[in-house]
Amino acid sequence: MKISDIIASANSNLFRNKTRTFLTILAVFIGSFTIILNSAINTGVNSYIDKQLEAAGGEGYLEIMTNEAVDIMSSMMSSSSEVKEYREASGNDQKSTYITDEQIEKARQIPGLESIDLIYSANPEYIKAKDSDKKFAVTNLNLMPRGNVNLDTTAGRKPDANTDKLEVALTEAYVNALGFSSDEDAIGKIVTFAVPNTVECYMVSKHSDCLKMVDAEVVGVQAPSIMAMGGMRANLALNQKIYDLATDGMPEEAKRHAFQATAQVDPEKIDEIKEKLKEVGLAAMTIDDEVGMIKVFFDAILVVFSIFGGIALLAASIGIINTLFMSVQERTREIGLMKAMGMSNGKIFFSFSCEAILLGFWGSVVGVVFSMIIGTIGDKIAHESFLKDFPTFELVKFDPINMLVIVLIIMFIAFLAGTLPARRAAKKDPIDALRYE
Amino acid sequence: MEKVIEAKNLKKVYGKKSAVFTALKGVDLDIYEGESVAIVGKSGSGKSTLMHLLALLDTPTSGTIKIDGEESTKLSKKELNKLRNSRFGFVFQQFFMNPKDTVLNNVVLPLKIAGISRKKRKQLAMDALKIVDLESKAKNKATDLSGGQKQRVCIARAIVNNPKIIFADEPTGNLDSATGDKITDLLFDLNKKQGVTLIVVTHDEDLAKLCQRIVRISDGKIIADNSVRKDTAKKASERREKEAARVKKANEKEAK
């Protein structure tokens, strides 16, 4: 018997008893549907989280503060009622939370450290389109650091850290406010930031007299993010320029106040480098250190759901075993006849296994189709309601390879379930089988 | 005449120790090409066991069976399967059809097992259905047929692989005498015209008398092995022809 014939007969045998087959496929379907939809949500959410994490910093990207700053932060955040004894600081205590040039120099010597930049906070007062007088307050302008950090954009690209040109990425809200017709339209336009000079503003009577103007090119528009990393993004050059304008006239010592730095390092050596930075007095954190917990938590929920799916599949396997045992029983005489006609035990085994595999196949394929339909509808509903502001967040994402692997695994499980009845069929004695009433 | 089956000192014992039952107690039987042989006996006489052994569906406890001079014990499982598939045809009392499948698909089964291509096996099955005069029912469900038609489908299935030997186990046992006769005619036609060796297992003396040779079996032993008297055979063949004419007439009427 040819394999194609075996598969074809197995399929037609299955649909001889439609109700039973349908119910068994339904059982497989419930398991596969749960697992497939779960996997799709997992893929969708994780790829979004990954995208967001890349926006916060990818592999080998470090955020750096001094050890003292970390201590102060953690003591501020701890709810401990313990009263510590006062200990006199050496020199200016506040100064120790700033990263010094010496520390930066030492950090640069660490092998595997590719770049390190101090972050100065830049606080412009307002933004306007260059050829317009409508001004909008700037609450949040963040640095787009050098290194492995991506920006989830709806148009354009992330601001370039390695250029002298002043570049900025807007948020969608600012695109609308500044009067650009679309995200694409905003790209390449020039915007103007107004920066108050700290020294001059003490002296002038009219506040607008101490504002310095700086022009920047819009190079990108970033997608809304579920995490709190929104705000406009300035490249290093623009950030530096705004800081310079704000601190112009201040003593050099006072200018160099940065308590944060960012670094890009070789991801392979990350632990080693973190250790060495600590010796220099700098505490480095990867994004995973900071927000990795979210992912772990989310994964745990999906694992629980996958376990439910797995249990459903286990029950379905028992259904497959049951269905096939009934089928073997019913077709005892047919088995006897086929054996009398020269069908080998192996082929009998294979033809019943084939039925099991087909049950798995149909159950999982229907599962794929339904989860795609339900997933797509669910995604649509989500984007019309609670995910309205996050167009780049695909709640469910169907990865074809994932789907295929799941289908194959379910077919394999079905095959395993089918081996018991198939073995019984193969072992039947043709004469007993023919005599069977 | 060539010996197609040569059985020597066949013994078959079922069960173990205290519950031993000896179904065959040393049977020697040679069957020649083109013969029609009836194996006759009461139920429990061992006739079915003998047929199963001759058809290589079971293995004897001791003794040898040669098919076309080849000893069956020397054949591998695969060769045994192939031999049964290509050289034997089976007709059973209970038909053993797949009732929910079409007539054509039922007939095609041995060819499917042999691994013959779809197109060719359909052709061969239609040819076989033509012989049993059921080509018009090829697409019908097997369950919709009458008992006689079902047995004719089974004959078509038995001859579709162009076998050398047809084993028929009580082929008319489930049929009334008129339809039974038509089945008998078909089988003997095949035996006469195509030279197929026919081995019929039955307890029906009338059917047995139509065979050239009757092997009587009782209590696991052959007690008689003789040809039917010539005049009886002649009468039988006349009766068969008459019956065939009657059936043909009836069919023609039906067709109108």
Side-chain angles (χ1 to χ4, degrees):
Chain A
M1 207 164 177
K2 286 183 193 161
I3 288 177
S4 61
D5 281 333
I6 291 182
I7 295 169
S9 346
N11 207 27
S12 69
N13 281 336
L14 271 185
F15 290 99
R16 262 199 244 166
N17 202 324
K18 290 194 185 69
T19 319
R20 197 168 67 197
T21 302
F22 171 75
L23 290 174
T24 314
I25 288 177
L26 185 68
V28 177
F29 156 73
I30 291 169
S32 63
F33 175 77
T34 314
I35 289 178
I36 291 164
L37 197 59
N38 233 313
S39 143
I41 293 174
N42 196 7
T43 313
V45 172
N46 269 334
S47 82
Y48 185 72
I49 291 180
D50 283 346
K51 231 189 276 176
Q52 297 301 313
L53 286 184
E54 275 169 17
E59 273 203 333
Y61 174 74
L62 294 174
E63 289 192 343
I64 296 169
M65 286 190 282
T66 59
N67 290 338
E68 287 84 354
V70 173
D71 285 346
I72 290 169
M73 274 174 74
S74 58
S75 69
M76 277 182 348
M77 278 154 79
S78 84
S79 55
S80 163
S81 55
E82 189 190 337
V83 180
K84 279 184 188 163
E85 201 181 331
Y86 172 74
R87 152 182 79 80
E88 194 180 347
S90 52
N92 185 344
D93 194 31
Q94 209 199 346
K95 203 174 167 183
S96 65
T97 62
Y98 295 131
I99 300 170
T100 64
D101 288 345
E102 194 189 350
Q103 282 173 319
I104 293 292
E105 269 322 303
K106 277 184 183 164
R108 282 195 217 279
Q109 307 300 318
I110 298 170
L113 187 133
E114 287 155 17
S115 70
I116 183 163
D117 298 295
L118 285 169
I119 299 181
Y120 296 105
S121 57
N123 300 303
E125 243 175 53
Y126 66 79
I127 182 175
K128 67 180 192 71
K130 191 175 168 59
D131 44 11
S132 161
D133 281 331
K134 281 192 110 178
K135 300 161 185 165
F136 301 93
V138 176
T139 49
N140 207 353
L141 177 68
N142 294 322
L143 173 68
M144 187 73 216
R146 207 191 300 273
N148 195 2
V149 181
N150 278 325
L151 196 63
D152 190 10
T153 56
T154 54
R157 56 170 173 84
K158 69 172 185 177
D160 186 357
N162 300 315
T163 178
D164 290 338
K165 285 186 199 148
L166 309 181
E167 294 181 350
V168 66
L170 299 178
T171 60
E172 282 187 326
Y174 277 99
V175 169
N176 295 335
L178 290 169
F180 301 123
S181 59
S182 70
D183 293 354
E184 280 76 20
D185 180 48
I187 308 301
K189 295 279 159 47
I190 303 297
V191 291
T192 304
F193 288 99
V195 185
N197 178 274
T198 315
V199 179
E200 284 182 32
C201 283
Y202 277 114
M203 312 207 250
V204 293
S205 51
K206 205 174 155 209
H207 183 68
S208 61
D209 288 348
C210 70
L211 294 179
K212 310 282 174 190
M213 299 298 156
V214 57
D215 289 347
E217 186 188 346
V218 177
V219 294
V221 177
Q222 60 172 312
S225 163
I226 247 177
M227 293 179 199
M229 286 154 192
M232 287 182 272
R233 294 288 195 122
N235 71 345
L236 272 167
L238 177 60
N239 196 72
Q240 188 64 49
K241 179 75 187 172
I242 292 172
Y243 187 76
D244 287 348
L245 288 173
T247 57
D248 190 31
M250 281 167 68
E252 277 310 304
E253 266 297 295
K255 276 187 189 175
R256 307 205 55 79
H257 281 181
F259 68 91
Q260 225 188 346
T262 64
Q264 178 64 36
V265 304
D266 183 353
E268 309 246 309
K269 295 183 186 158
I270 199 152
D271 289 328
E272 200 181 314
I273 291 168
K274 272 160 99 174
E275 205 50 49
K276 283 193 175 143
L277 283 169
K278 203 163 196 172
E279 286 166 20
V280 183
L282 297 174
M285 273 180 295
T286 64
I287 295 308
D288 279 347
D289 293 340
E290 294 174 41
V291 288
M293 278 303 290
I294 301 173
K295 226 173 153 175
V296 172
F297 176 70
F298 201 80
D299 283 348
I301 294 174
L302 286 169
V303 164
V304 169
F305 275 105
S306 295
I307 289 171
F308 287 148
I311 292 170
L313 268 189
L314 187 73
S317 314
I318 295 169
I320 289 174
I321 296 175
N322 190 36
T323 301
L324 286 186
F325 265 134
M326 277 159 82
S327 180
V328 169
Q329 202 74 2
E330 275 169 20
R331 282 155 58 197
T332 296
R333 297 207 295 198
E334 193 185 324
I335 294 164
L337 181 75
M338 300 222 277
K339 283 194 165 186
M341 286 173 174
M343 185 131 157
S344 68
N345 292 359
K347 294 263 168 77
I348 298 262
F349 178 88
F350 184 62
S351 72
F352 277 92
S353 297
C354 229
E355 286 185 33
I357 293 169
L358 282 169
L359 284 170
F361 173 75
W362 288 121
S364 53
V365 164
V366 174
V368 167
V369 171
F370 264 76
S371 54
M372 282 179 103
I373 294 170
I374 301 284
T376 312
I377 293 171
D379 199 49
K380 212 172 167 192
I381 292 171
H383 277 113
E384 279 164 10
S385 54
F386 66 93
L387 287 181
K388 203 171 180 176
D389 297 329
F390 307 99
T392 57
F393 188 173
E394 287 175 87
L395 187 59
V396 286
K397 196 171 183 181
F398 291 95
D399 175 12
I401 292 170
N402 250 350
M403 304 289 106
L404 187 70
V405 167
I406 293 172
V407 169
L408 288 178
I409 289 174
I410 291 174
M411 282 167 76
F412 181 69
I413 292 171
F415 163 76
L416 287 184
T419 51
L420 263 106
R423 238 171 77 90
R424 178 178 284 188
K427 282 190 137 185
K428 274 198 189 296
D429 181 17
I431 294 166
D432 288 343
L434 284 170
R435 280 205 196 112
Y436 178 84
E437 290 301 321
Chain B
M1 285 259 238
E2 292 267 324
K3 281 182 194 171
V4 281
I5 302 183
E6 201 178 341
K8 276 221 168 73
N9 199 22
L10 289 184
K11 282 182 187 159
K12 182 70 186 178
V13 181
Y14 292 109
K16 276 175 193 166
K17 286 178 186 171
S18 57
V20 163
F21 169 70
T22 310
L24 287 181
K25 297 170 179 168
V27 169
D28 295 299
L29 183 65
D30 292 344
I31 289 169
Y32 295 87
E33 197 177 345
E35 264 193 318
S36 58
V37 183
I39 299 175
V40 186
K42 288 178 191 152
S43 74
S45 59
K47 63 179 191 303
S48 292
T49 305
L50 179 61
M51 190 205 90
H52 292 149
L53 291 180
L54 297 180
L56 305 180
L57 293 173
D58 205 351
T59 47
T61 312
S62 69
T64 58
I65 299 167
K66 283 183 185 169
I67 305 288
D68 293 330
E70 255 181 309
E71 203 162 312
S72 67
T73 48
K74 284 184 182 155
L75 296 173
S76 70
K77 256 191 163 172
K78 202 176 161 189
E79 288 169 320
L80 218 63
N81 281 331
K82 187 156 186 248
L83 190 149
R84 276 209 306 273
N85 182 264
S86 61
R87 284 191 243 174
F88 293 170
F90 294 94
V91 178
F92 298 98
Q93 179 178 359
Q94 305 93 329
F95 316 138
F96 297 139
M97 295 174 78
N98 193 341
K100 288 183 185 169
D101 222 336
T102 62
V103 165
L104 186 71
N105 279 341
N106 270 291
V107 174
V108 124
L109 192 59
L111 304 176
K112 218 177 189 181
I113 291 169
I116 288 166
S117 74
R118 212 165 269 262
K119 205 175 154 191
K120 192 169 178 202
R121 67 191 186 216
K122 194 183 170 187
Q123 183 56 47
L124 288 170
M126 287 310 287
D127 291 348
L129 280 170
K130 204 178 227 168
I131 292 171
V132 300
D133 205 16
L134 277 177
E135 51 197 318
S136 59
K137 302 270 187 197
K139 294 247 154 65
N140 288 40
K141 283 259 169 79
T143 184
D144 298 335
L145 302 179
S146 71
Q149 285 172 326
K150 275 183 191 160
Q151 196 60 300
R152 272 148 69 196
V153 172
C154 290
I155 290 173
R157 184 177 65 193
I159 61 173
V160 75
N161 55 349
N162 199 15
K164 256 186 135 169
I165 308 171
I166 291 179
F167 292 94
D169 188 358
E170 300 282 13
T172 58
N174 264 354
L175 305 172
D176 61 64
S177 60
T179 39
D181 285 346
K182 181 146 195 210
I183 297 301
T184 324
D185 281 341
L186 261 172
L187 288 173
F188 284 100
D189 247 22
L190 289 167
N191 173 242
K192 287 243 172 65
K193 290 184 185 155
Q194 316 211 0
V196 180
T197 309
L198 184 64
I199 299 174
V200 183
V201 176
T202 185
H203 62 270
D204 177 1
E205 287 292 337
D206 290 336
L207 174 59
K209 274 178 199 155
L210 303 176
C211 295
Q212 291 169 347
R213 187 175 157 199
I214 299 179
V215 177
R216 286 186 194 280
I217 191 160
S218 174
D219 201 19
K221 279 182 180 162
I222 292 178
I223 52 169
D225 182 354
N226 59 302
S227 301
V228 185
R229 286 198 310 278
K230 271 189 180 167
D231 57 329
T232 321
K234 206 177 168 192
K235 265 185 197 164
S237 104
E238 273 170 17
R239 196 173 68 81
R240 276 211 306 274
E241 270 158 30
K242 245 188 202 169
E243 185 59 27
R246 192 189 66 78
V247 169
K248 205 179 164 192
K249 227 176 179 181
N251 278 351
E252 274 167 8
K253 230 180 196 175
E254 215 174 282
K256 275 175 194 170

